[in-house]
Amino acid sequence: MKNFGISIREVDNIRVLDISGELDAHTASQLENSLKSLIDQNEICIIVNCKGLDYIASAGLGVFMAYIEDVRGMGGDIKLTNMNERVYNVFDLLGFPTLYDIHDDESEALTGFNN
Amino acid sequence: MATSNNIHSLSVEASTSQLAKVRDFVAEHAERLGLSEKEIGNIRLAVDEAYTNIIKHAYKNIPAKPVEIELGSDNSQLWISIKDEGESFDVEAYNEPDIRERIKNKQRGGMGVYLIRKLMDNVQYNRSGHMNEIRMIKHL
């Protein structure tokens, strides 16, 4: 899909997903497959770095809604970082900042996991 | 794409593969009206959510179903109308989503209508014959 990209790297035993482009009902399945695959491998400390993300619709937020309970129940978390203002506003409109661990910067999220 | 005075229309199939095209169509015309980047972003998202709801709920993901998008403006407002021939949406039965509860139940969805109402100044649902219309208005 040319308008959405996802890649995975590892930092201090934490899996970091770098997502870019536009996350909507068409591209959400790519994020879902990546998250599901990590969780299936018991990789439950996950950071989603949204630095390259230009746009998100509610279908994108739905992916995070579907997996956060499982991951937290297993002792992990999905932390979100580096959102631009437009993307953050969508999370904010739906009240996500009180329910998810959202950081300005990836290093803050890493510190959160290491503590 | 037809253009008549300041009314622009786009016919697409109900498919998520058309989402980016639909968003770009409305954003391009909203830009010409001198709206701010934030307002254009809001309109882009509202239209995305309305079109996605048609694909998923009115047409239940059945491909190749028709959707008509029309956008127009005058001095005081921009309006966007999206029409489909699928199942109608019962706006009276719609409740605001409780996100915390939905997360607990691992549910997703149900957020689109709420977002559209937050992002646009006025939202109307009409049913005429076999046609549904959502009409979204932004004051200029």
Side-chain angles (χ1 to χ4, degrees):
Chain A
M1 203 58 54
K2 70 175 168 50
N3 63 340
F4 181 71
I6 185 161
S7 61
I8 304 177
R9 58 196 159 88
E10 189 182 329
V11 183
D12 300 338
N13 287 324
I14 310 291
R15 300 293 161 147
V16 181
L17 272 67
D18 291 298
I19 59 174
S20 60
E22 300 187 324
L23 185 54
D24 60 18
H26 195 60
T27 57
S29 59
Q30 293 177 65
L31 174 63
E32 173 146 18
N33 291 341
S34 295
L35 272 180
K36 195 169 180 305
S37 163
L38 287 178
I39 297 162
D40 286 347
Q41 295 165 52
N42 216 26
E43 299 288 355
I44 50 168
C45 293
I46 299 167
I47 293 174
V48 179
N49 187 321
C50 304
K51 189 176 180 185
L53 191 66
D54 299 318
Y55 174 85
I56 190 164
S58 70
L61 276 72
V63 177
F64 297 116
M65 291 170 71
Y67 292 99
I68 193 77
E69 278 287 302
D70 283 345
V71 167
R72 285 181 177 164
M74 293 161 80
D77 199 8
I78 300 171
K79 298 181 190 292
L80 305 162
T81 75
N82 298 79
M83 290 178 195
N84 73 31
E85 196 184 334
R86 287 190 308 277
V87 168
Y88 181 80
N89 281 343
V90 183
F91 279 88
D92 195 32
L93 275 172
L94 290 165
F96 273 57
T98 59
L99 305 169
Y100 286 78
D101 203 17
I102 300 177
H103 297 274
D104 290 340
D105 194 73
E106 185 182 312
S107 60
E108 289 174 14
L110 283 168
T111 306
F113 273 123
N114 291 328
N115 289 340
Chain B
M1 195 187 307
T3 303
S4 163
N5 296 326
N6 60 345
I7 297 176
H8 309 274
S9 59
L10 177 72
S11 300
V12 286
E13 288 184 358
S15 165
T16 57
S17 66
Q18 301 297 306
L19 269 165
K21 180 181 176 180
V22 168
R23 289 195 298 265
D24 290 348
F25 167 75
V26 291
E28 183 194 325
H29 292 293
E31 271 168 31
R32 289 189 194 155
L33 296 171
L35 289 164
S36 70
E37 200 179 311
K38 186 178 178 183
E39 285 169 321
I40 293 166
N42 288 348
I43 292 165
R44 198 183 252 274
L45 180 56
V47 168
D48 177 317
E49 298 291 344
Y51 178 55
T52 298
N53 277 347
I54 289 170
I55 297 165
K56 289 188 176 176
H57 303 297
Y59 287 136
K60 305 199 181 310
N61 293 309
I62 299 168
K65 294 287 186 180
V67 180
E68 298 291 329
I69 299 154
E70 204 170 76
L71 174 150
S73 62
D74 58 23
N75 292 334
S76 63
Q77 64 181 31
L78 162 71
W79 53 264
I80 299 154
S81 155
I82 309 181
K83 290 179 181 167
D84 68 79
E85 297 171 13
E87 277 186 29
S88 61
F89 171 64
D90 183 3
V91 69
E92 300 297 324
Y94 179 79
N95 292 316
E96 242 181 56
D98 180 336
I99 303 294
R100 193 181 294 271
E101 195 61 28
R102 281 175 177 269
I103 287 170
K104 203 186 287 175
N105 298 327
K106 296 173 200 168
Q107 290 174 312
R108 62 179 94 184
M111 298 175 287
V113 173
Y114 175 75
L115 276 178
I116 293 165
R117 287 176 175 168
K118 284 262 183 186
L119 297 166
M120 301 299 284
D121 293 320
N122 191 300
V123 184
Q124 297 158 12
Y125 292 87
N126 306 306
R127 173 94 177 167
S128 173
H130 61 290
M131 193 79 88
N132 304 305
E133 179 190 29
I134 176 171
R135 196 175 176 85
M136 300 175 281
I137 292 165
K138 189 79 174 174
H139 300 315
L140 298 176

